[in-house]
């Protein structure tokens, strides 16, 4: 041996939870689904709780996110790629949006909120009887 590590057969898992991405070398490819979930809980300690409902998806050759539901799904995913790119979804939450998408959606939501508030203000009944309002009375 020349002292070099043989990495040719090693599986690499790149796991993403939100903005946090971790790279994990795996020596044993016969990993089960339950072992993978436990590993993710250790790797993302503090961000992933044992009672969280975790959905794990991998990116296939087309860039699609494919759900890993059990150990057979996991072994198929491992056969597809030596670098397994995983995305974790916790309690049904999708992965976070990119910051420019967040800014755009925030602007849109603020605009909607302002429109709703203006409409609600127009529909506001008089506070007390006898107090004049800006709205014309029907009659």
């Amino acid at each position: 041996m020349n002292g070099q590590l043989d990495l040719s057969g090693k599986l690499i898992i790149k796991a993403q939870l939100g903005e946090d991405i971790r790279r994990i070398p795996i020596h044993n490819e016969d990993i089960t689904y339950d072992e993978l979930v436990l590993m993710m809980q250790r790797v993302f300690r503090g961000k992933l709780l044992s009672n969280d409902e975790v959905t794990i998806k991998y990116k296939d050759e087309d860039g699609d996110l494919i759900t890993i539901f059990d150990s057979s799904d996991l072994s198929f995913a491992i056969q597809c790629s030596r670098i397994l790119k995983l995305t974790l979804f916790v309690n049904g939450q999708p992965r976070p949006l990119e910051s420019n998408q967040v800014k755009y959606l925030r602007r849109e939501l603020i605009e909607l909120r302002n429109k709703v508030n203006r409409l609600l203000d127009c529909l506001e009944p008089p506070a007390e009887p006898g107090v004049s309002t800006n709205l014309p009375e029907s009659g």
Side-chain angles (χ1 to χ4, degrees):
M1 270 208 155
N2 59 4
Q4 291 286 343
L5 288 174
D6 177 22
L7 299 176
S8 59
K10 190 185 289 188
L11 171 68
I12 303 291
I13 292 181
K14 285 176 74 175
Q16 178 174 358
L17 177 62
E19 298 291 317
D20 194 1
I21 301 176
R22 307 287 176 95
R23 185 181 180 102
I24 310 139
I26 302 294
H27 301 286
N28 176 14
E29 289 182 27
D30 298 329
I31 182 172
T32 65
Y33 177 78
D34 291 335
E35 290 169 342
L36 178 65
V37 171
L38 288 171
M39 179 191 303
M40 294 299 106
Q41 288 171 345
R42 279 194 309 270
V43 168
F44 293 107
R45 182 172 46 251
K47 295 183 178 182
L48 205 54
L49 305 173
S50 58
N51 60 344
D52 281 336
E53 186 179 310
V54 178
T55 302
I56 301 174
K57 298 187 179 217
Y58 73 97
K59 211 169 257 192
D60 71 358
E61 64 278 357
D62 297 325
D64 296 324
L65 286 174
I66 309 297
T67 301
I68 298 175
F69 186 71
D70 56 22
S71 295
S72 64
D73 288 345
L74 178 57
S75 61
F76 181 78
I78 290 170
Q79 290 170 15
C80 290
S81 176
R82 302 308 305 158
I83 298 177
L84 192 57
K85 296 179 179 178
L86 302 179
T87 303
L88 278 63
F89 296 80
V90 181
N91 299 323
Q93 294 300 311
R95 81 190 133 155
L97 297 168
E98 300 298 319
S99 59
N100 58 347
Q101 289 174 304
V102 170
K103 288 176 189 170
Y104 171 77
L105 283 175
R106 182 173 164 72
R107 247 191 339 263
E108 290 289 310
L109 287 170
I110 287 171
E111 201 173 303
L112 278 172
R113 180 187 64 194
N114 292 340
K115 285 179 184 176
V116 167
N117 284 339
R118 282 193 297 271
L119 287 170
L120 286 171
D121 289 345
C122 288
L123 297 173
E124 195 67 32
E128 294 177 22
V131 175
S132 64
T133 63
N134 297 337
L135 297 174
E137 292 190 24
S138 60

